[in-house]
Each structure stands twice: as structure tokens, then as C-alpha cells.
Amino acid sequence: TMHQDEHPSMSMALQKAQERLSPAAMVAFTLGAVNGLDHNEMALVMDVTPDCARARLSRACRELRATLS
């Protein structure tokens, strides 16, 4: 596993990219990608449909990729 201190520039870049996400995208990314919740669990937490949760996570990941590339 990679520790943050092994690649400080990457973790800093990711942190800066995350700060540019909308609040909804940030919540979706944190729940889905960071905490590993599935779309149904994310939907319950965010009070949206599972399809909406999936779309928000997808959008957040797409925005992060675009920012980091």
C-alpha cells in the first residue's frame, strides 16, 4: 500500500484537485471512492437515488482525472 509520505507531490495534487470539486461531488467521492460505500449506501447517506449517487461519483472522478492530467 502507498503511504501519503511516499509520494507527497501526488497526495498534494490530489488534495488540491479535491478542493475544486463541488460539495455534492466531494461527498460522493468521499463516500464511494474513499470509504468504499456502494451506490445504494451512498444514496441513503446523500438522500438521493442510487442512480444519482452513481452519477455524482462518476462526475467527481471525471473531474479529478481532468484536473490531475
Side-chain angles (χ1 to χ4, degrees):
T1 61
M2 184 181 4
H3 293 82
Q4 261 189 309
D5 53 278
E6 290 177 28
H7 297 282
S9 61
M10 184 58 189
S11 61
M12 185 63 79
L14 181 58
Q15 191 172 1
K16 289 209 177 303
Q18 286 175 321
E19 290 169 2
R20 296 178 59 180
L21 291 175
S22 70
M26 182 58 146
V27 169
F29 181 78
T30 302
L31 292 174
V34 178
N35 293 318
L37 272 63
D38 67 28
H39 298 140
N40 293 317
E41 294 166 325
M42 290 170 55
L44 286 173
V45 174
M46 296 189 300
D47 195 30
V48 297
T49 66
D51 283 344
C52 182
R54 181 181 42 72
R56 286 184 185 180
L57 178 57
S58 177
R59 190 176 313 121
C61 291
R62 199 167 46 245
E63 288 176 22
L64 286 173
R65 276 195 298 275
T67 302
L68 291 170
S69 63

